Amino acid sequence: MTADLVIAGLGPAGRALAFRAAAGGLEVTAVDPRPERAWRATYAAWADELPGWLPATAVAARVETPSAWTVREHRIARPYRVLDTAALQRALPLDRVRVVTGRAVDVDRTGVTLADGETLRGRCVVDARGLPPAPGRAQQTAFGLVVDARSAAAALDGQEAWFMDWRRDNGTDRGDAPSFLYAVPVGPGRVLLEETCLVGRPALVLPELEGRLRARLAARGVELSGAEPAEHVRFAVEGPRRRRGGPVGFGARGGLMHPATGYAVATALSAADPVVAAVRAGRDPDRVLWTPTARTVAALRARGLAVLLGLGGENAAEFFAAFFELPVDRQRAYLSGRDDPAGVAAAMWSLFGSVPPALRRTILRSMI
C-alpha cells in the first residue's frame, strides 16, 4: 500500500501536517512510537503568525501588549498568544489518518522503515521527528514553575507578561552566562514563570536555571507552596544539514525553527497547507519550503545566532535594548516569517548601527 503522504513523527509539526493533509483529501499514513502521548510543553506565538484555520479554543491566553526589561522597560506593540497545549492537540484530530504505532529507524525519499522491519511507502515522505539535542549544536534551556496568578503578580510587576526580563535579581553577576525571566499567563489564574537561557553552546544546565529562578522569585517576594508544576526545557536550535535526495524535513527537523529564538510551532502550522498543496499537485514540497528567499532568510538568522552565542552576560541586556527600540515592523521581520530577507537584513543593520561601539566590535568578532 502506497499512501499519498507518509509522515514520521506526530509532535505538533507532524500532527498539524497530517491533519491538514487528510482534511485536504490526501491519503495519509503517520507513524510515531506513542501517537497519542499528551504534549507537555508550553507553546506560544505572535498573534499574526497563527493560521486562520486554527480554532480560537487552541489559545489559552491573550497578551495584547507584552513587555520586556533590558536596561529599561519596553512595551511591545504586537499581540502575543499562549497556546492551550491540550486544546491544540485536540484541534489536530487524526481520525482520517492511518496511524501506525512504531519507531522509525530509517526515513528516505520513498518510505519509512520501522524497527520491526515493516516499511511504509508513500508518494511523498516527510520526516517530522523533531530535533533532539546533540553535542555541538546550540541549545535553548529553561526551568519554569506554573504559579497561581495572585502569587505571580509580584514577578509580573503590573505587566501583562514579560517576554524577556533581563534584570539581575536572579543571583548572577555581569560575567555570568546570561538568562532572563519569561513570564506569561497560561490559562485562568495560572502564570508560567520561567528562567531561560536563550541559546548556548553548551546552554546552561537546568539545575543552574532552577537556582536562578528561585533566587529571582524570592527577591521579588513571590511565595511558593512547593506544589507548583515544573516545566523543563532543553532542545537544539540548530537543525541538521539538509540531505540532497533525502526525505522532506518538516518542523524543527526540517530547519523551520527560528535559530535565534527556538520558536517553531507557529511556522509549522502555517507551512502545513503549502506543503499539502505541493503534494496534491505532484510537486516537491522542498521547493515550496525552501525557496531562494527562505534560504536567504535562514542564512541571515544563522548569522544572528552566531551573534547571540558571542554575547557575554555584560552585553545581552544592552543588545536586546537596541532590538526592542526598533520599529515593530522590523522586529516582526526578524522574528517571524521566511519571505522577507530585505526586512531581516534591515533589522540587523539598524540594530548594529544603534548599539555602542564596544558592542559593535563584539558583534563583528562573532561573525568572523
Side-chain angles (χ1 to χ4, degrees):
M1 174 181 175
T2 300
D4 295 319
L5 178 63
V6 174
I7 302 169
L10 283 172
R15 189 170 177 124
L17 181 58
F19 165 66
R20 295 301 291 173
L26 294 178
E27 188 174 287
V28 183
T29 297
V31 60
D32 190 278
R34 297 171 58 202
E36 293 300 332
R37 70 192 185 282
W39 301 339
R40 301 297 184 192
T42 298
Y43 304 117
W46 301 100
D48 53 43
E49 294 178 315
L50 297 173
W53 54 260
L54 189 71
T57 54
V59 174
R62 293 166 169 78
V63 179
E64 297 311 312
T65 310
S67 299
W69 188 286
T70 56
V71 296
R72 55 188 172 274
E73 184 181 316
H74 310 263
R75 304 296 296 278
I76 306 170
R78 190 181 179 197
Y80 191 68
R81 302 291 183 255
V82 181
L83 300 181
D84 182 322
T85 304
L88 172 65
Q89 193 166 8
R90 291 194 299 271
L92 307 172
L94 300 176
D95 49 298
R96 300 187 199 175
V97 176
R98 179 194 173 208
V99 177
V100 177
T101 300
R103 182 171 63 88
V105 294
D106 186 58
V107 183
D108 62 27
R109 201 76 178 180
T110 62
V112 177
T113 301
L114 308 183
D116 64 5
E118 181 183 4
T119 297
L120 308 174
R121 300 290 181 188
R123 289 196 300 112
C124 178
V125 177
V126 170
D127 192 348
R129 289 177 293 171
L131 189 60
R137 282 186 188 153
Q139 299 176 6
Q140 180 174 124
T141 51
F143 177 87
L145 295 171
V146 178
V147 177
D148 71 83
R150 182 174 298 180
S151 298
L156 287 169
D157 196 22
Q159 307 300 322
E160 289 185 85
W162 287 118
F163 183 66
M164 287 182 168
D165 183 347
W166 291 94
R167 282 177 283 189
R168 290 192 174 277
D169 54 357
N170 60 356
T172 61
D173 296 321
R174 284 179 61 84
D176 293 331
S179 63
F180 63 90
L181 175 68
Y182 174 70
V184 294
V186 291
R190 299 181 302 129
V191 176
L192 172 66
L193 303 176
E194 194 161 78
E195 192 75 19
T196 303
C197 172
L198 183 60
V199 291
R201 192 188 286 135
L204 290 170
V205 296
L206 296 183
E208 170 68 17
L209 291 168
E210 179 179 2
R212 292 186 183 192
L213 177 65
R214 293 188 183 279
R216 189 191 296 275
L217 299 186
R220 298 192 187 186
V222 176
E223 295 184 1
L224 301 174
S225 69
E228 291 82 8
E231 177 167 286
H232 304 83
V233 176
R234 180 172 177 260
F235 58 82
V237 297
E238 292 179 292
R241 293 184 179 276
R242 291 191 298 133
R243 289 187 295 144
R244 181 173 296 180
V248 176
F250 193 68
R253 192 83 169 205
L256 299 190
M257 178 179 289
H258 196 301
T261 67
Y263 280 54
V265 171
T267 302
L269 294 175
S270 296
D273 281 359
V275 169
V276 172
V279 176
R280 285 172 58 88
R283 293 183 285 118
D284 183 355
D286 256 338
R287 293 183 178 273
V288 173
L289 291 170
W290 291 103
T291 63
T293 295
R295 290 197 297 270
T296 301
V297 167
L300 288 169
R301 287 176 177 159
R303 289 283 191 171
L305 172 62
V307 169
L308 292 179
L309 289 169
L311 293 178
E314 67 278 8
N315 292 321
E318 198 166 37
F319 177 88
F320 281 100
F323 181 82
F324 289 118
E325 290 298 318
L326 295 177
V328 72
D329 62 320
R330 292 202 170 172
Q331 294 180 37
R332 180 186 295 111
Y334 188 77
L335 293 174
S336 304
R338 305 171 67 241
D339 59 358
D340 185 12
V344 175
M348 296 172 74
W349 183 249
S350 296
L351 188 150
F352 181 77
S354 64
V355 299
L359 183 49
R360 244 179 261 169
R361 290 192 290 272
T362 297
I363 292 172
L364 287 173
R365 284 195 299 269
S366 70
M367 299 180 72
I368 295 175

